[in-house]
Each structure stands twice: as structure tokens, then as C-alpha cells.
Amino acid sequence: MTGALMEARGLTRRFGSVTALDGVDFDLKPGEIHCLFGENGAGKSTLASILAGVIAPDDGALAVGGGPRRYGSPADAIADGVGMVHQHFALVEAFTVLENLMVGLPGRGWRPDRAGLAVRARALAEDLGIALDPAARVSTLSVGERQWIEILKSLMEAGRILILDEPTAVLTPEESRRLFAMLDGLKRRGLGIVLVSHKLVEVMQSDRVTVLRRGRKVATLATADTDPGTLTRMMIGASPPPEGTQAPRAAGAVVVETRALTSAESAGGVPARDVSLTIRAGEIVGVAGVAGNGQAALFDMLAGALAPASGEIVIDGARVSPVSPTEMMRRGVRCIPEDRFRQGLVGEMSISENLMLGRHRAAPFRRGPFVDYGAADRVAANVIDAFRIATTGPQARAASLSGGNAQKVLLAREMAPGGRVLLANQPTRGLDVGVVATVHAALRAKRDEGAAVLLASEELDDLLALCDRILVMFRGRVMAAMSARDADVERIGALMAGRQPEAAA
Amino acid sequence: MSADLYDGAIVVSILAATLRTMTPLLFSAMGELVTQRAGIWNMSVEGAMLSGAFAAYIAIATTGSPVLALLAAIFAGMMVSLLNAILTASLKVDHFVAGLALNLLAAGLTLFWFRAFISGRGQPTFDGLAPPDWALADLPVLGPILFAQRPLTWLAFLCVPLVWFLLYRTRQGLELRCLGENPAVLDFKGVNVVARQYAASLFGGAMTGLGGGFLILAFSDRFLPDITAGRGWLVVVAIIAGGWRPLGVLAAVTVFAFLEALAIHAQVLGLGLPHQLFLAAPYIASLLLLTHLRHRDRQPALLGEVYRRGER
């Protein structure tokens, strides 16, 4: 193949006994966006990391600009003009923008050329259409602004190939559109862009797409010749489970009500401010908003983990006081927290033990004063079957599970009978289409059981597919509430960015 | 009139003692500040300082050379910090556990070797570092405070702007601070994170060792098994209290050293308070400082976190 910027043949990488990437071919032309599409664990990030020199392949050949390469470190890739924007921000919050641009720049000597770098950064930022204040501290920037800095950083040190690993995971819909406009501009200048994504809307904006499944390449296609349905079937190797339809139902009695609920400013993170909401039995209420706009504080208060500074929580007509996790558990509140590994599961415990947590004092887990491990293993085996959890068995450590499988364990525990209120904060974050469908089905089942469900998600698709009503949160406040049937993506997007629709119109 | 003269002499003496006492603390604090900014919560400062003092003692007792003694002190400090770096940066051991273990090791080994060294011949004494004898030292007031000090004291003060310049005005300093804030950033650029952490650790160990060497050569004529008396811990507190900034650390060290200098003069001052209270003053001050400094927003974000590539 002539004219390829980058060409890989038979890339293979094993981690222990797992083959993360198995003989994958890949090529990138100048001036194209080439998307890597696949489920979690399909090998997208592994492939991207090999292309950027972050990890070395066990087998296979890589050529960049026609010459064979064997990258020993990201510095080698950067020297070839290959830059990568990682999934998690690789920025130092305590540093200024300029300092972040300086860190790790190739070069020798003791004194970095601050002034020269600032001039170059400004010129490039202007080209990309980014407002740039080199002296601003990264901790004061919004998530979107940080993403622009990441891209700027990659382009400053490596200007031929840009690799982006799930760059929109943290962006608002509007910011995502801006990102793609930016990428189009770069494309026209002849850059090759590799985009890792599991979102169909993004894949459809690329020029070519390589679909990966379980470490193997399924196909490389011109995006114009394919469609979302075909891509999804290729990605999961089967047809996706059907999404349930959303029929209007009569909602039941009010189960949860908050009145001017406010958390302390000093609790860390953005506090929830003056939040009043109601959730009825058999209803899913959605909270739209970029993560970090007070959702965590709101959910923590409802779960009893954070005491409100003012306002009150009423469940089944009775005011909850004091607000504590035990009290909330007793009233039937169950919770799928934002960070499944830190707040939801204990990594060092087995699947059985994790499934017991919080209800180990009740049947079937209790036998006199003892815990009945036999019963726990039987419950776990059932859950592993029912949720199709990929694992070695009930004794497997939770930390050994992939994100999707861990989320299924958490779902199984919090869905168990007895819960009347289900709180789910970002339950589909980072999950692929298959697991997302499982999460959706679980939330619907809980709703149909008559539970009151509160769902916060950055993915508007989640909210529009599931919710009866949608609230939009920005900087701790509820900006607007609407019925899901009248919801409009543009309006929600503007509200998520803190603008009232009048200003957006 | 004579009482005023007497009071003046005491103040001069206290201030001179403050600068002298600051010297070992400053060397160590500037070195360990660099280690901590690189993300390593080094708890083995006390052990490294004790090892430095002991190595300096063995060297001067056998060769009589203060220069060799200081070099030996630096080497011993670096050995302790090398062990700490192996444990924390390479073997990914919890930083606190590694540091505490090294303190026990240093205390035990120095005592053991000290006993072995003196057995059968009694403890040799030595002539340590004397202040320079020159005309400036005879100036009134300023002479004894500033100029009757050992050159190493001046060097210790010079370390403050030097470390500041390293941290905030050089490429290496920027990358060093990045190690403590988010080492993944450097890793993604192909910078060797572990090697940088070793370098920062060794610098800290060398400076702490030098501080230990100065301590024994300037303050004593013999080795005592607990000669550092918690000064390594004071250094750790000074770094926290100083908000991980060179000038802040300098201020904290000044407070501790001033209190210690007061303690030396407590009996002369005759304040009617128990002598022991003054001896404990720096440690009480450090406790008070720590309880009032619970918000550590200036602490490097990933200080003390073991770094493994790609770990969630």
C-alpha cells in the first residue's frame, strides 16, 4: 500500500494468558479519520497504545512513513510525529497551561524556552480556533477546555498522526461537535487521525472504520459503505438485544421527595444546591449533566453517605432524619455508584462476597450467627448465569473483572428484591453496547416492579431511552425539568453547558 | 547598664545558635523537599540523618579529616535513600512502611556498629568543624550571628534559592514536580519515571546525610546512639508545614531552630519554667502546626502513591 502514513501487520499482544490483540493489520492514510470500533476489551486501546509506542507488541511489524519501526517508548513515536490523547487526562492540574505544554517536551538543557513555546502555542491554538491563556491553571479550566489543551499538547510535539482514545467520553454534545469540527480541519491539513470509540454517532463521522472483536480484526470498511446496524452486528458478532419500547404508563404515588436539598460547600466536589425533586413509584427520573455538576453530592445525600447542609429528604411521606446509610438502606434505597470499583465493589473480595455486602445479615446469607458461604456461592452462580458474567466462578476477585462484568455484579446486588428506590449514577459509563443494553433492561425491570428510579447520565441516549422525566443539572443546580417526550437534545445540551435556552436560541 | 549588655549578649547568642541549629535541618529539608515533590513520601529521613552522622563519626575518628567525614556522611545518606528508592519506586512497597522499616534498620545498625567500633578501646573523641577565625567575626552583634558561623551554614542558606530555582525555573524541576502531581504524564512522553524518582531520592539522601554529618561535626565531639533526636522527623513536619514550598519550609525550619536555641539558653534566661519544657518546645510546636494544617491543598497530588503504569 503506497502513501500510507502508518501501516501495521499482524500486531499481537498478550497480557498473561489473555491475548488482547491477535494478528491485527491496520493502516492510516494522510487526511483521514480512521476509527477503531469495538466493545470494551476488544483491543481498541491496546492497538492505539501500540501505535503510540506506549506498549510494545509481542509480534507483528509496524511501519511509519514507509520505514519499519520498533518503538521502545512513546518518545520514539513522538519523534516520528505520532501523538496520543489518552482516555484519562494526562494533565497536571496544579500547573499552568504553559507548564503542561512544557512537561516532557523533547529537548535538552536546563532552561525551557517559555516565551518561544507560548508564541508557538498561541499560533497553533488560533489555527484550531481555541481560546488559550497560557498562564491559566489547568485546575480552573472546564473539562472541555482541558481536552483542547490535551490535543494542543499532542500537536505541538507530534504533528503527523494524532491518536485519540475515547476523546468525547467527558464532553458535552456541543463540545463533541466542536471536537469533530477541529478534527476535520486537521484532516484537511493532511494529518492522519486514529479515533478510538464505541459510540456509533462518532464512528459514522469517520472516513474508514476498523471493527475489532475479542482482539481480532473483523473488517476495515469505508464508513460511507456501511451503516450503524451492520457495524453493531460486526462488533458484537450477533444482533443486539432489542431495546424495550417506552409506553406511557400511569405513575404511582410519590416515593422520594427532596425539598431545597443543599450539601455543604466544603464536602469536596461541586455541592448540590437547592435541589427539589420528586420520584414516583414506577417512574425513572433522569438527571442530565456533565459529571461533576453536583450529581455526586445529590446521590450521596440520597444514599445517606453525605449529610445535607440544609433541606430535607422525604421517603414515603416521612422525613428522613438523621440521614445515614443504614437509615436509607432500611427504607429500601439501593445505589449504583458512579465509580463502580471505588465505591461499589471491594476489589479484593470475591464475587460471592461482593454480592452479599450490605445484606449479609439477612436471609439467605445468614445462618444463625454465621454467614452462609454455601448460599452465597449459589446466589453468585445464579447471578453469573443470569447476567452472563465472564469470569472463572463465584470465587473470582472483583478486581479481576472487566468494567462491564463488574457493573453486572453491582446491578445484580442492587436490583435484588426489597429495594423500592434505585439510584444509578453514570451506570453506563465506559461500557459497550451489549452491557449498556443489560443496564437499560435492569433499570426498566426495576421500574416495572414499581420502584422509583433516579438515573444520572452524561449519555443523553440513556436518558431519552429510559426516562419519564429529565432534569438538567449545572453547577449543583437544577436548571430545568421536562417530560422526556418533549425533551430536545439541543435544549438539554445548552442547559448542560449552563446556558438558558433563550440565550442558546 | 550592665544588665542591658548582658541581655544583648544573650539575644545575640540565641540568634547565632538559631542559625547554627538551622543548618542540618535546612540541608535535609531542602533535599527531602525535592524527594517529596517527586512523589516519594520519604519517612526514612531520621534514619538517613542518623546514618550520615554515624558515617561521619567513623570517618573522622579513623582519618581525622572533616572533609572525608562529610563525604562519608553524604554517602551513607545516599545509601539509605537508595534503599528507600528500591523499595518504593522499583518494588512498589507502601511508602510509609518502607520508611519506617528503614528507620528501624538505621537505628539498629548504627548502634550495633558503634558498639563493635568502641569495644575494647573506649570511645574516641575528635575535633570537628570549627567556625572560621577572621576579622568579620569580631564585628559587634552581626559578627557572632552571621560571620562566626561555619561556611556550611552559609551553604545551607544558599540551598534555599538554589532549590527554588531548580524546582520552578528549570526543565528538570518542572518534570520533577510533575512526578509528584501526575507521573503518567511523563510516562506517556517516554520519560523514565522510576529513574527520575531514584535521582530525586538520592539527592534527598545526600542532603540529609550532609545534615547528619554537620550535626555531629559541629555540635559534638563524640557519637551518641540517638544523636539526631528526632530532627529527621522535624524535617518531615517542616516540609508539610511549609506547604511543600522552599520559602515556607525555610520559615518552618527557622521556627523550630529558634525554639531549640531558646531551649539551650533557657537556664540562662531564668524564665522559671522547667528546662524540659523548653527542650520539648520544637516538638510541641510541630504537633500544633500539624493539627492546624489539616487542609493540605498544596500537597503534591500523588505524593506517596505508588505509581504503576496503566493502573486504575
Side-chain angles (χ1 to χ4, degrees), chain A residues 28-56:
Chain A
L28 180 69
K29 295 175 193 150
E32 75 162 348
I33 299 182
H34 192 151
C35 192
L36 298 179
F37 182 60
E39 296 185 286
N40 298 114
K44 307 180 298 278
S45 289
T46 306
L47 176 54
S49 297
I50 290 176
L51 299 179
V54 176
I55 52 183

Coordinates of all heavy atoms in Angstrom, one line a residue, chain A residues 28-56:
Chain A
L28 N -3.1 3.7 8.0 CA -3.7 5.0 8.2 C -3.2 5.9 7.0 O -1.9 5.9 6.8 CB -3.3 5.6 9.5 CG -3.7 7.0 9.8 CD1 -5.2 7.0 10.0 CD2 -3.0 7.6 11.0
K29 N -4.1 6.6 6.3 CA -3.6 7.4 5.2 C -3.6 8.9 5.7 O -4.4 9.2 6.6 CB -4.6 7.3 4.0 CG -4.6 5.9 3.4 CD -5.7 5.8 2.3 CE -6.0 4.4 1.9 NZ -7.3 4.2 1.5
P30 N -2.9 9.7 5.0 CA -2.9 11.1 5.4 C -4.3 11.7 5.0 O -4.9 11.3 4.1 CB -1.8 11.8 4.5 CG -1.3 10.7 3.6 CD -1.9 9.4 3.9
G31 N -4.8 12.6 5.9 CA -6.0 13.2 5.6 C -7.2 12.4 5.8 O -8.3 12.6 5.2
E32 N -7.2 11.4 6.7 CA -8.4 10.6 7.0 C -8.5 10.4 8.5 O -7.6 10.5 9.3 CB -8.3 9.2 6.3 CG -7.4 8.2 7.0 CD -7.7 6.8 6.6 OE1 -8.7 6.5 6.0 OE2 -6.8 5.9 7.0
I33 N -9.8 10.2 8.9 CA -10.1 9.8 10.3 C -10.4 8.3 10.2 O -11.3 7.9 9.5 CB -11.3 10.6 10.8 CG1 -11.0 12.1 10.9 CG2 -11.6 10.0 12.2 CD1 -12.1 12.9 11.5
H34 N -9.6 7.5 10.9 CA -9.7 6.1 10.8 C -10.2 5.7 12.3 O -9.5 5.9 13.2 CB -8.4 5.4 10.5 CG -8.6 3.9 10.2 ND1 -7.8 3.3 9.3 CD2 -9.5 3.0 10.6 CE1 -8.2 2.0 9.2 NE2 -9.2 1.8 10.0
C35 N -11.4 5.1 12.3 CA -12.0 4.8 13.6 C -11.7 3.4 14.0 O -11.8 2.5 13.2 CB -13.5 5.1 13.5 SG -14.2 5.1 15.1
L36 N -11.3 3.2 15.3 CA -11.2 1.8 15.8 C -12.5 1.6 16.7 O -12.7 2.3 17.6 CB -10.0 1.7 16.7 CG -8.6 1.9 16.1 CD1 -7.5 1.7 17.1 CD2 -8.5 0.9 14.9
F37 N -13.3 0.6 16.3 CA -14.6 0.5 16.9 C -14.7 -1.0 17.5 O -14.2 -1.9 16.9 CB -15.6 0.7 15.8 CG -17.1 0.6 16.2 CD1 -17.6 1.4 17.2 CD2 -17.9 -0.4 15.7 CE1 -18.9 1.3 17.6 CE2 -19.2 -0.5 16.1 CZ -19.7 0.4 17.1
G38 N -15.2 -1.1 18.6 CA -15.4 -2.4 19.2 C -15.9 -2.3 20.7 O -15.9 -1.2 21.2
E39 N -16.2 -3.5 21.2 CA -16.7 -3.5 22.6 C -15.5 -3.2 23.6 O -14.4 -3.2 23.2 CB -17.2 -4.9 22.9 CG -18.5 -5.3 22.1 CD -19.0 -6.6 22.6 OE1 -18.4 -7.6 22.3 OE2 -20.1 -6.6 23.3
N40 N -15.9 -3.1 24.9 CA -14.8 -3.0 25.9 C -14.0 -4.3 25.8 O -14.6 -5.4 25.7 CB -15.4 -2.9 27.3 CG -16.2 -1.6 27.4 OD1 -17.4 -1.6 27.6 ND2 -15.5 -0.5 27.4
G41 N -12.7 -4.2 25.9 CA -11.9 -5.4 25.9 C -11.7 -6.0 24.5 O -11.2 -7.1 24.4
A42 N -12.1 -5.3 23.4 CA -12.0 -5.8 22.1 C -10.5 -5.6 21.6 O -10.1 -6.1 20.6 CB -13.0 -5.2 21.1
G43 N -9.8 -4.7 22.3 CA -8.4 -4.5 21.9 C -8.2 -3.1 21.2 O -7.0 -2.9 20.8
K44 N -9.2 -2.2 21.3 CA -9.0 -0.9 20.6 C -7.9 -0.1 21.3 O -7.0 0.4 20.6 CB -10.3 -0.1 20.8 CG -11.6 -0.7 20.3 CD -12.7 0.2 20.5 CE -13.0 0.6 21.9 NZ -13.8 -0.3 22.7
S45 N -8.0 0.0 22.6 CA -7.0 0.8 23.3 C -5.6 0.2 23.2 O -4.6 0.9 23.2 CB -7.4 1.0 24.8 OG -8.5 1.8 24.9
T46 N -5.5 -1.2 23.3 CA -4.2 -1.9 23.2 C -3.6 -1.5 21.8 O -2.4 -1.2 21.7 CB -4.4 -3.4 23.3 OG1 -5.1 -3.7 24.5 CG2 -3.1 -4.1 23.3
L47 N -4.4 -1.6 20.7 CA -3.9 -1.3 19.4 C -3.4 0.2 19.4 O -2.3 0.5 18.9 CB -5.0 -1.5 18.4 CG -4.6 -1.1 16.9 CD1 -3.3 -1.8 16.5 CD2 -5.8 -1.5 16.0
A48 N -4.2 1.1 19.9 CA -3.9 2.5 19.9 C -2.6 2.7 20.7 O -1.7 3.5 20.2 CB -5.0 3.4 20.5
S49 N -2.4 2.1 21.8 CA -1.3 2.2 22.6 C 0.0 1.7 21.9 O 1.1 2.2 22.1 CB -1.4 1.5 24.0 OG -2.5 2.1 24.7
I50 N -0.2 0.6 21.2 CA 1.0 0.1 20.4 C 1.4 1.1 19.3 O 2.6 1.4 19.2 CB 0.7 -1.3 19.8 CG1 0.5 -2.3 20.9 CG2 1.7 -1.7 18.8 CD1 0.1 -3.7 20.3
L51 N 0.4 1.7 18.6 CA 0.7 2.6 17.6 C 1.4 3.9 18.2 O 2.2 4.5 17.5 CB -0.6 3.1 16.9 CG -1.4 2.0 16.2 CD1 -2.6 2.6 15.5 CD2 -0.5 1.2 15.1
A52 N 1.1 4.2 19.4 CA 1.8 5.4 20.0 C 3.0 5.0 20.8 O 3.6 5.9 21.5 CB 0.7 6.1 21.0
G53 N 3.4 3.8 20.8 CA 4.7 3.4 21.5 C 4.5 3.2 23.0 O 5.5 3.1 23.7
V54 N 3.3 3.3 23.5 CA 3.1 3.2 25.0 C 3.3 1.7 25.4 O 3.9 1.5 26.4 CB 1.7 3.7 25.4 CG1 1.5 3.4 26.9 CG2 1.6 5.1 25.0
I55 N 2.8 0.8 24.6 CA 3.2 -0.6 24.9 C 3.8 -1.2 23.6 O 3.5 -0.8 22.5 CB 2.0 -1.4 25.4 CG1 0.8 -1.3 24.4 CG2 1.6 -1.0 26.8 CD1 -0.4 -2.0 25.0
A56 N 4.6 -2.2 23.8 CA 5.3 -2.9 22.7 C 4.6 -4.1 22.3 O 4.1 -4.9 23.2 CB 6.7 -3.2 23.1

